Amino acid sequence: MTSDADALRQFVHGSSLDAKTRARLEEAVPEEFFTVPGGLTAPDRHALTYERLRRAGLAAPPAGELLADPPALCALLERAAIADPPLFHMMLLHYTLALGPVLRFGAGQEETRPLRESLESMDSFGTLLMTEVGRSNSHLSPRTVARHDPATGGFVLSTPDAQAAKFPTNTAHPDLPKTAAVYATLVHGGQERGVFVFAVPLRGPGGTAPPGVRIVPAPETTGLQIDYAAVLLEDVRVPYGAWLRDGAAIGPDGDFHDPHGPAAARLTRSMGIAPPVWRAVVSASAAITRAAAGMLLAHSAGRSTLGRLAPRRPLTDYRNQQEAVLGALASAYALTAVAAHVTTPRPPDHPAAEAGDAGEAGGPATAWAPWSAVDRDLALLKAAATVQAQETVSACRVHSGAPGFAAVERLNAYRGLTHAYQNAGGDNQLILYDTARAMADRDRYVPPEPELGPPDDGDLDSPRVWLFLARDAERRLRDRLAGRVQAALRDGQDAFTAWNGNLALAERTATACADRIILEILASAAGAGPRALGPVLRLHALDRLERRAAVLLNEGVVPPGILDELGAARRRACDELAPRAAELAAAFDLPAPVTAPAAFLA
């Protein structure tokens, strides 16, 4: 019979990867990557990250195999995230946002083979040129333009001014080869034909930039240490094969053809590289939350206090510290459940929008950002996971006292990563706004049905009660948002004014949708997973409901006194889990350097 500890380990690590693959991933990100030598200058630190990326890429399974196997790619990126957050970021860019478009949109294009092989062999490092510095929501309509040159058959790429510069990019290191996936608006025959991706060498083998490529290094930053730079393309000429055309073509007579529809549909399709990014970000969020929770437990276990109420009392006897430790463990298990959910293949009839399903209208409507049109639920879970990870990592740092801030850099680095991905990979607020718009308009969205309840006599330990509360809140918020926007439009307000006056409500509405999806995932995992999983996921559900108490009260979902009820339920859950804290953390199998004492005290 499988023990609780073994069952928890299997839940954390999944069952889709065999032992050989796991060993290969550990070889790709060895234990030495979990520490950074002291005394490095910023350029030295960047060089170390790229050297680690090269070693990891050569030791890991082939890139094509990884991109076709989400659990394997996410497992590799998880390990990179807990070892070295800058390495995770560089690896994510290289695999999913540089090589991914080449494989996806350049499939069948023999001309892309040299670029693809240079990325797969780590002879060149991949980067992304998408966001432009001078305008918000620049993804929707990049000012960087690609024009076909009939004389050569190729294209000319141009950024019209400094405000259209691509930033941020990881291109500042002067000595390393770089290949970029450049997002540009294709203008042909006097019309904008949509946003396409072009594969462009930005730096050669010695780091030299080709004619027309201007790279402007940004000031050094410590939040997430990357060689940031802005890139301007000044009439950069690329061959026809650099156009990752995804079936589109410009014929000998100059006629343009795109089998996937008009420009709006092409935008959604070109942004279809996002789902692998979101899966990886959710998985990394789970991984660094597990690592932070393990670090907080290691700091707290056996530590005594000198408080006058009870001198020499164990730190974890205090409710605030005990609940912080157990809450972090619960968040880690909850995000692990979400990560398992997003890396599990979907059935063909899954309701989420798939990139490229344009429909006659040219694709799902997009107001603030293109991400929800690609895959609403996955984008929403990315936003929710990064927020949860950031909150948990920050709490772990605070509850680790001065050592959590000053003795080791790891928690600060995790916090920098979670902060960065509030905006990177799709801005969280814009994802929430577009999700709310789809909810209000019932665009590929069906509100939860009203239910009589709550069930189980309102017992907060029951998953059915969590789901009832979450669904009721989501439906009420959605109905109120739709009503307010529709009323504003009927009163003659334009769409901007109608929505601009309701952005706070829109954010709460989309957040409620995310809560409901996550609680459904947790309820399913608790029902199907090992017995020991139920109590820890229950604690996270109660924590999540407590954080939403103000909204639940405001929408009339719960009566006054709910905070007292939730507090009592959380204390019961903590009392049940406290004796098992070490067992819960042990299932994470964290590498020794993660929870080791500060090296300078050894």
Side-chain angles (χ1 to χ4, degrees):
M1 175 178 286
T2 303
S3 69
D4 282 349
D6 290 339
L8 287 172
R9 278 189 170 84
Q10 185 172 1
F11 171 79
V12 169
H13 301 294
S15 57
S16 62
L17 301 184
D18 57 38
K20 182 178 179 181
T21 301
R22 289 200 177 280
R24 194 167 181 183
L25 298 181
E26 290 181 9
E27 179 186 352
V29 184
E31 198 163 287
E32 69 181 271
F33 285 14
F34 285 76
T35 55
V36 175
L40 297 181
T41 65
D44 290 341
R45 178 66 172 102
H46 302 325
L48 174 66
T49 305
Y50 282 110
E51 178 57 28
R52 288 177 170 182
L53 175 56
R54 177 180 280 116
R55 286 179 56 185
L58 295 177
E65 292 181 16
L66 287 172
L67 286 165
D69 186 356
L73 178 59
C74 288
L76 175 65
L77 289 165
E78 283 183 14
R79 189 168 172 87
I82 61 173
D84 185 356
L87 175 62
F88 163 82
H89 184 68
M90 299 289 205
M91 191 178 289
L92 181 73
L93 289 169
H94 182 88
Y95 279 110
T96 66
L97 292 169
L99 186 53
V102 173
L103 295 177
R104 175 170 180 161
F105 300 132
Q109 294 181 215
E110 187 63 25
E111 312 98 315
T112 65
R113 176 176 290 184
L115 284 176
R116 186 184 72 239
E117 290 179 347
S118 71
L119 291 168
E120 290 175 335
S121 64
M122 294 291 170
D123 287 339
S124 182
F125 298 107
T127 186
L128 173 71
L129 273 61
M130 180 185 285
T131 304
E132 296 177 351
V133 69
R135 296 198 303 188
S136 298
N137 314 82
S138 61
H139 310 65
L140 295 176
S141 183
R143 294 177 63 220
T144 297
V145 170
R147 288 186 170 87
H148 182 245
D149 180 3
T152 64
F155 292 87
V156 179
L157 302 181
S158 301
T159 49
D161 52 51
Q163 294 301 301
K166 297 292 189 179
F167 180 82
T169 70
N170 60 310
T171 55
H173 197 293
D175 302 325
L176 299 173
K178 295 287 178 69
T179 300
V182 180
Y183 277 68
T185 299
L186 177 59
V187 177
H188 185 70
Q191 298 181 45
E192 292 189 1
R193 304 293 185 168
V195 177
F196 283 89
V197 187
F198 293 80
V200 180
L202 287 190
R203 290 188 183 273
T208 302
V213 173
R214 185 153 67 97
I215 300 173
V216 183
E220 295 294 344
T221 180
T222 58
L224 182 62
Q225 292 178 290
I226 306 298
D227 59 326
Y228 296 114
V231 178
L232 296 98
L233 306 176
E234 299 169 342
D235 294 333
V236 174
R237 295 185 174 274
V238 298
Y240 186 81
W243 180 25
L244 305 180
R245 50 192 179 271
D246 188 34
I250 296 175
D253 56 359
D255 284 348
F256 172 84
H257 173 68
D258 188 346
H260 298 292
R266 172 50 60 184
L267 173 67
T268 299
R269 191 167 178 88
S270 291
M271 296 301 171
I273 45 84
V277 177
W278 295 330
R279 293 186 191 102
V281 171
V282 171
S283 297
S285 295
I288 62 175
T289 303
R290 291 195 297 269
M295 292 176 69
L296 179 59
L297 177 63
H299 166 83
S300 304
R303 190 180 187 91
S304 62
T305 71
L306 297 178
R308 298 302 187 192
L309 286 175
R312 304 291 182 181
R313 190 90 181 193
L315 177 60
T316 50
D317 280 2
Y318 285 84
R319 281 280 185 189
N320 67 319
Q321 191 74 10
Q322 181 191 84
E323 291 185 5
V325 171
L326 296 173
L329 292 168
S331 291
Y333 275 96
L335 287 180
T336 299
V338 175
H341 172 82
V342 301
T343 54
T344 299
R346 289 170 166 171
D349 60 348
H350 192 277
E354 292 295 334
D357 289 348
E360 294 182 2
T366 295
W368 286 275
W371 311 121
S372 295
V374 173
D375 188 320
R376 185 188 61 244
D377 288 359
L378 190 50
L380 188 59
L381 288 173
K382 173 268 174 187
T386 51
V387 168
Q388 183 62 58
Q390 188 271 326
E391 290 177 354
T392 305
V393 169
S394 296
C396 288
R397 198 209 64 72
V398 169
H399 282 271
S400 295
F405 180 77
V408 290
E409 178 62 14
R410 198 175 303 278
L411 285 172
N412 293 327
Y414 292 164
R415 193 164 177 258
L417 183 65
T418 59
H419 269 279
Y421 276 89
Q422 306 286 310
N423 305 110
D427 184 89
N428 282 2
Q429 273 203 321
L430 300 185
I431 288 170
L432 292 175
Y433 293 157
D434 258 333
T435 300
R437 185 214 53 78
M439 294 171 70
D441 293 346
R442 298 201 182 200
D443 177 7
R444 300 162 293 126
Y445 169 81
V446 178
E449 291 291 333
E451 300 177 59
L452 294 176
D456 298 336
D457 296 324
D459 182 359
L460 289 170
D461 289 345
S462 168
R464 296 177 64 212
V465 173
W466 318 335
L467 296 180
F468 170 83
L469 297 177
R471 289 166 179 164
D472 196 22
E474 178 183 344
R475 187 184 64 258
R476 292 177 187 231
L477 283 161
R478 180 266 158 204
D479 290 350
R480 197 153 65 85
L481 175 65
R484 285 173 59 165
V485 171
Q486 289 164 9
L489 294 172
R490 285 195 302 269
D491 288 345
Q493 295 182 14
D494 60 19
F496 170 79
T497 305
W499 275 100
N500 200 42
N502 289 288
L503 291 182
L505 178 58
E507 187 169 352
R508 290 197 298 271
T509 300
T511 299
C513 182
D515 286 342
R516 186 262 304 165
I517 294 171
I518 290 172
L519 290 174
E520 287 177 345
I521 293 170
L522 300 190
S524 176
R531 178 187 58 187
L533 188 61
V536 71
L537 294 183
R538 182 171 76 244
L539 176 58
H540 181 76
L542 294 168
D543 286 344
R544 186 168 288 270
L545 290 172
E546 185 177 72
R547 289 199 304 276
R548 306 292 185 249
V551 173
L552 296 174
L553 281 164
N554 191 65
E555 301 306 317
V557 176
V558 294
I562 188 62
L563 280 174
D564 289 339
E565 292 183 35
L566 285 167
R570 290 177 67 254
R571 284 192 294 275
R572 291 195 301 272
C574 287
D575 289 344
E576 181 179 356
L577 291 171
R580 297 179 44 231
E583 174 189 333
L584 292 169
F588 297 158
D589 287 327
L590 296 171
V594 173
T595 55
F600 73 90
L601 293 175

